[in-house]
Amino acid sequence: MHYNLHLYKKLSKNEKHILDQIEGLGHGYNEKIVQVTNQDGLKFSAFTYFAIKIEAALKPYSWYMNHVVTGAKEIQVPKQYLEEILSLECVEDPVQERDEKERVIYSNQ
């Protein structure tokens, strides 16, 4: 399964609703609450969206993988897990404007 993890208590209800729409909840994705343990052994709840229909031939766009890698680094996932993420194959988005829009988010970092 493909998952996107999000911290559960840091979003307002309105932010969660917006994220549900962006992530496609109910349109190819479901969600569930999971227990996560960080590197310090602290446990917390997070929610994840997961694909309910996966087509193995489809690859994520490189800008999407950039979001995933950036988030993984921000929350300091274990090095081995980051390496697994970085090893995933991705493709370039044929819509250049969308690619640029997604990447500009990090231009001030």
Side-chain angles (χ1 to χ4, degrees):
M1 290 189 167
H2 295 111
Y3 292 95
N4 293 322
L5 253 185
H6 301 277
L7 295 179
Y8 188 59
K9 294 187 179 182
K10 292 199 174 210
L11 296 176
S12 70
K13 287 184 179 185
N14 186 52
E15 291 169 323
K16 173 69 169 67
H17 177 71
I18 292 168
L19 188 58
D20 288 346
Q21 291 177 326
I22 291 169
E23 292 288 354
L25 182 62
H27 302 280
Y29 289 87
N30 283 341
E31 81 173 309
K32 66 180 174 179
I33 304 299
V34 294
Q35 293 298 309
V36 180
T37 304
N38 70 9
Q39 288 180 306
D40 297 328
L42 297 173
K43 295 182 181 189
F44 55 94
S45 293
F47 64 91
T48 182
Y49 299 99
F50 61 96
I52 53 178
K53 181 180 178 189
I54 298 172
E55 295 184 34
L58 293 178
K59 306 289 182 218
Y61 290 134
S62 62
W63 59 257
Y64 180 81
M65 288 302 295
N66 186 54
H67 289 321
V68 174
V69 169
T70 299
K73 288 178 179 178
E74 284 179 1
I75 64 168
Q76 301 176 341
V77 299
K79 183 179 178 182
Q80 181 181 358
Y81 186 57
L82 180 59
E83 289 172 357
E84 287 180 40
I85 294 169
L86 291 168
S87 74
L88 297 173
E89 186 179 349
C90 59
V91 297
E92 294 304 316
D93 189 338
V95 181
Q96 185 67 32
E97 288 178 19
R98 179 173 50 205
D99 186 277
E100 291 170 0
K101 178 184 171 190
E102 292 297 331
R103 292 179 191 277
V104 76
I105 295 168
Y106 306 106
S107 64
N108 293 328
Q109 294 183 355

